[in-house]
Amino acid sequence: MLQIGKFNTLNVVKQVPFGFYLDGGDDGEVLFPTKFAGADLKIGDQCQVFVYHDSDGRLTATTQTPLAEVDECAFLKVVSVNNVGAFLEWGVDKDILVPYSEQDFPMAEGVSYVVFVYFDDETGKVAASTRLRDFLFEEGEHFAEKQAVELLICGRSDMGYKAVINGSHLGLIFKDEVFKPLRIGQRTTGFIKRVREDNKIDLCFQFHDDNARKDLAEQIIDDLEAHGGISTLTDKSSADEISKRFNVSKNVYKKTLGALYKQKRILLDKNKVTLIK
């Protein structure tokens, strides 16, 4: 069965002056333009090609690699906007449409967005959507705590950053867990921090168990000793400053400072941390 919006292995059934036709089964023949066909291609050969509808609505094959296939998310740039929606650069000769009904907010030319590429059963064509929650799962009961996952940063909220998990789920990275610059469209690795009682997914970039906190505590003490027993990197410092010095989140750093304070190994005030000798 032909999979429109994905790569297919198809047989060459006809040669014409402008290329070849491939066997698309029940969907009919698929045009394979000369510019993509190899010089030695002949009837009966098999081709690994990406299939989509061209600007004239014809099923077309290409050896170009799209930036996303059907059922995948990608960070794509708007190249034009008209009365039917926004068109995004797709990596093939035809741009992909985000209809107005699939836009969470008006899309602007020249701006890139994280979208989900889907096959529209009503039109029989491939389209894209910024309404990720309509296509991805938000409940993650099958994920395990501390499980490593691939993330695509897809949005911001008052609480932190939203991310696509392994291309199939949506999760949240709370602001306190962010210790390095993030941008929309960035792909990175992370971890399942927890699956909440409502099965929504919280994410993080590192775990700090008791042993890891002990290691960080000793790093802080070593840093204080190297700077004469005083540091201006307090629990009020920015997450960026903390990340540059210790490569941990502000939340983890604050908890470790608190533990050192309770152990009477340091003194804390608004402007400095002092080592107790």
Side-chain angles (χ1 to χ4, degrees):
M1 180 179 176
L2 188 68
Q3 293 184 295
I4 301 171
K6 294 191 175 186
F7 277 93
N8 297 255
T9 301
L10 302 178
N11 293 318
V12 179
V13 294
K14 186 187 302 181
Q15 185 171 6
V16 292
F18 45 87
F20 296 85
Y21 279 102
L22 312 179
D23 183 8
D26 293 340
D27 291 288
E29 294 179 339
V30 179
L31 174 64
F32 190 27
T34 301
K35 65 180 180 178
F36 300 121
D40 57 349
L41 190 67
K42 60 185 183 299
I43 294 173
D45 286 350
Q46 284 192 330
C47 303
Q48 181 74 11
V49 291
F50 179 74
V51 177
Y52 67 103
H53 287 92
D54 67 12
S55 299
D56 296 321
R58 297 175 300 186
L59 280 174
T60 303
T62 181
T63 54
Q64 294 173 310
T65 301
L67 298 175
E69 296 184 45
V70 163
D71 297 330
E72 292 181 348
C73 291
F75 187 54
L76 304 182
K77 183 179 180 179
V78 177
V79 293
S80 65
V81 177
N82 64 17
N83 60 342
V84 296
F87 288 85
L88 313 180
E89 185 178 357
W90 193 17
V92 298
D93 284 350
K94 183 178 181 293
D95 301 324
I96 190 170
L97 172 67
V98 182
Y100 282 112
S101 60
E102 292 297 330
Q103 296 180 27
D104 262 334
F105 37 78
M107 302 174 76
E109 185 174 334
V111 180
S112 297
Y113 302 86
V114 175
V115 297
F116 184 87
V117 177
Y118 68 99
F119 182 78
D120 188 339
D121 291 324
E122 291 187 9
T123 65
K125 296 181 180 179
V126 178
S129 174
T130 62
R131 299 174 64 85
L132 304 182
R133 63 187 177 278
D134 292 343
F135 299 93
L136 303 176
F137 299 102
E138 294 187 90
E139 292 76 31
E141 58 272 9
H142 72 282
F143 284 111
E145 185 178 302
K146 298 187 178 181
Q147 179 180 339
V149 289
E150 296 298 320
L151 303 178
L152 171 60
I153 308 303
C154 62
R156 295 186 185 91
S157 73
D158 291 339
M159 293 184 289
Y161 287 85
K162 300 174 185 177
V164 178
I165 308 165
N166 290 349
S168 61
H169 288 70
L170 288 170
L172 179 65
I173 310 163
F174 283 95
K175 286 186 288 189
D176 286 348
E177 296 291 344
V178 177
F179 62 93
K180 57 184 178 180
L182 293 177
R183 66 181 188 280
I184 306 302
Q186 179 178 344
R187 292 185 182 272
T188 185
T189 55
F191 299 92
I192 303 297
K193 182 177 182 180
R194 62 174 166 263
V195 177
R196 305 197 303 259
E197 290 184 1
D198 61 1
N199 281 329
K200 297 297 175 66
I201 308 164
D202 291 343
L203 301 163
C204 64
F205 290 114
Q206 58 187 188
F207 274 95
H208 278 275
D209 54 22
D210 288 341
N211 288 333
R213 284 200 182 93
K214 288 177 184 176
D215 289 342
L216 177 58
E218 294 311 313
Q219 289 179 44
I220 293 171
I221 295 299
D222 289 345
D223 183 73
L224 283 165
E225 290 176 343
H227 292 87
I230 294 176
S231 171
T232 57
L233 194 71
T234 71
D235 55 359
K236 308 298 182 186
S237 298
S238 71
D240 189 48
E241 290 177 299
I242 293 167
S243 173
K244 285 179 180 177
R245 179 90 56 95
F246 293 107
N247 197 34
V248 297
S249 69
K250 182 172 181 175
N251 188 42
V252 168
Y253 183 68
K254 287 173 66 175
K255 286 181 178 179
T256 307
L257 283 183
L260 288 171
Y261 178 77
K262 288 179 181 178
Q263 296 165 12
K264 299 185 189 261
R265 299 180 70 186
I266 61 171
L267 295 174
L268 285 173
D269 63 42
K270 292 181 180 179
N271 301 312
K272 65 181 184 297
V273 179
T274 304
L275 179 65
I276 297 176
K277 297 182 180 180

